[in-house]
Amino acid sequence: MKFPNLLSSSKRWKSATAALRVEIGEARMLAAQAAIRQIAAAGVLPRLADAELRVFSQFGDDGIIQYLVRLLDIRPTSFVEFGVENYTEANTRFLLVNDNWRGLILDANQGYMESVRRDSMYWRHDLTAVAAFIDRDNINGLIADQGFRGELGILSVDIDGNDYWVWERIDVVQPSLVIVEYNSVFGSRRAVTIPYDPAFYRTSAHFSNLYWGCSLKALCLLAERKGYAFVGCNSAGNNAYFVCRDRLGPLRPLSAEEGYVESRFRESRDADGNLTFLSGDARRQAIAHLGVVDVESGETVTIGSL
């Protein structure tokens, strides 16, 4: 009686699935490229969300970025993004593989950065992946040490914590376009952020994972001080877009109230780490007792008072 060669079958299966993943990836890229051409041909869109397209981004930011890069001729073709985890979901990966931009990515997890460096993408493109825990005192050095100084195409900030304080401190690069994550649970009326803590970790700060980052208005005020205009958010209500004022072109600057989008994803957790799926104002009530800094007055206020 002959037995099948299970090892050989396993190898063939792995090879077939790998080939299928490549084909699916190529099909997604072709579909995305066709959609991007249509978006570019449409000219100025009423909302950034109208350009949304997802290939590698968590939500529809790939399309928004492509729209802005083409509409405003964003240059140079370089980016810095931090808080990327293993880079399978990121704001800049499509720019890297589709447009061949040069980039630097940073994440605190060494394993994530090692996995990026093992990917064929890493030798195919001019990408630098660095493992580092970012704070406002080391960020300029981390960027400059990798050869990124002066003019930059895109800066993308998503560290689920000190986002406001870190962007405030960055001056080693001058990006044309800045994308920063905001916490919509903090609302649209007040300019607030978590107090600065260089060791901040959102799950340790509060088990709900809802206490992190800053409000959209805080980012808008900071952007104005740094010479940027707020031009909108994605429809998921987590990423805000800021364009250097001398590159605004046909875009109209928005106020925080005009451009605010409330998030609807439900990532809250209980003390045991289980998802609780809170939405709307219930999220704010869960962290109502915690303090945030009003960046206009410098006072600490409770989230419940927002």
Side-chain angles (χ1 to χ4, degrees), residues 182-184 186-188 190-193 213-220:
Y182 68 98
N183 189 342
S184 81
F186 293 167
S188 63
R190 299 285 291 274
V192 297
T193 177
C214 61
S215 69
L216 177 61
K217 188 171 183 178
L219 289 175
C220 288

Side-chain angles (χ1 to χ4, degrees), residues 33 95 102 129 172 178 211 230 247 272 287:
Q33 289 163 358
L95 277 174
R102 168 179 175 253
V172 71
V178 181
Y211 180 66
F230 170 54
R247 284 192 174 271
D272 295 320
I287 53 174

